[in-house]
Amino acid sequence: GFTPVDMGSLASAREVEAMPLRLFPGWKVPALLALGLFIFFYAYNFVRDVLEPYVQEGKNKFYKLPVFVVNTTLPCVAYVLLSLVYLPGVLAAALQLRRGTKYQRFPDWLDHWLQHRKQIGLLSFFCAALHALYSLCLPLRRSHRYDLVNLAIKQVRPS
């Protein structure tokens, strides 16, 4: 039931077979950037919110790892990624003003950065959307307070 497409000689077979592997070629650098920022901010928030109270005061706050620390990390990553979307435009405009013309090519690093702005912006939006989803899930994590209040009421009321 497939329609055959003639892609040329057998010499082009490597290129045709590699096409599925090039699904999102422009996403590699922005995805690695977002992952690196997430790991950095997650480690920072882990040390600040979980490890420091454990070391200094002996408080066990490791329950914060799956939801609270991630929910603190996501907006940090979203803000940094969003700033990385707008910064190259400002740098490009300043470079054009300094050169006095808009007809000279940008340096390669700035050109690649300008080309990745859409992907970085979408990853920023994805992090912000995940932050909103995690924020909606926070009341579900706080259901243990209901259990504590329920236990206190059972102790006060006679059976």
Side-chain angles (χ1 to χ4, degrees):
F2 295 109
T3 306
V5 178
D6 185 12
M7 295 297 288
S9 66
L10 190 59
S12 63
R14 286 184 195 255
E15 183 180 337
V16 172
E17 289 174 355
M19 279 183 189
L21 301 176
R22 289 184 273 141
L23 187 58
F24 295 111
W27 285 80
K28 182 178 180 181
V29 172
L32 289 175
L33 174 69
L35 182 65
L37 284 171
F38 184 83
I39 291 170
F40 171 76
F41 281 112
Y42 188 85
Y44 171 74
N45 288 323
F46 168 73
V47 169
R48 188 189 69 178
D49 294 340
V50 177
L51 203 56
E52 188 217 359
Y54 183 73
V55 170
Q56 287 188 350
E57 302 165 13
K59 293 181 180 178
N60 187 355
K61 295 192 175 188
F62 284 93
Y63 66 91
K64 289 184 169 190
L65 285 177
V67 178
F68 291 101
V69 176
V70 173
N71 196 33
T72 308
T73 301
L74 286 171
C76 298
V77 174
Y79 281 133
V80 171
L81 287 176
L82 189 62
S83 67
L84 291 176
V85 169
Y86 290 109
L87 184 60
V90 174
L91 292 176
L95 186 63
Q96 287 176 340
L97 287 172
R98 184 172 170 256
R99 290 178 175 172
T101 181
K102 65 179 184 177
Y103 296 108
Q104 287 184 359
R105 288 186 52 86
F106 294 124
D108 285 338
W109 62 271
L110 185 58
D111 187 43
H112 291 301
W113 193 0
L114 287 166
Q115 290 175 2
H116 287 109
R117 285 188 303 171
K118 183 192 302 182
Q119 292 88 353
I120 295 171
L122 288 172
L123 287 170
S124 173
F125 174 75
F126 179 70
C127 288
L130 275 179
H131 170 65
L133 186 65
Y134 265 75
S135 294
L136 291 174
C137 292
L138 281 177
L140 299 176
R141 284 285 288 172
R142 294 186 179 143
S143 65
H144 70 281
R145 288 186 185 167
Y146 170 77
D147 294 336
L148 291 175
V149 171
N150 196 16
L151 181 64
I153 290 174
K154 283 181 183 178
Q155 289 177 356
V156 172
R157 269 192 209 153
S159 304

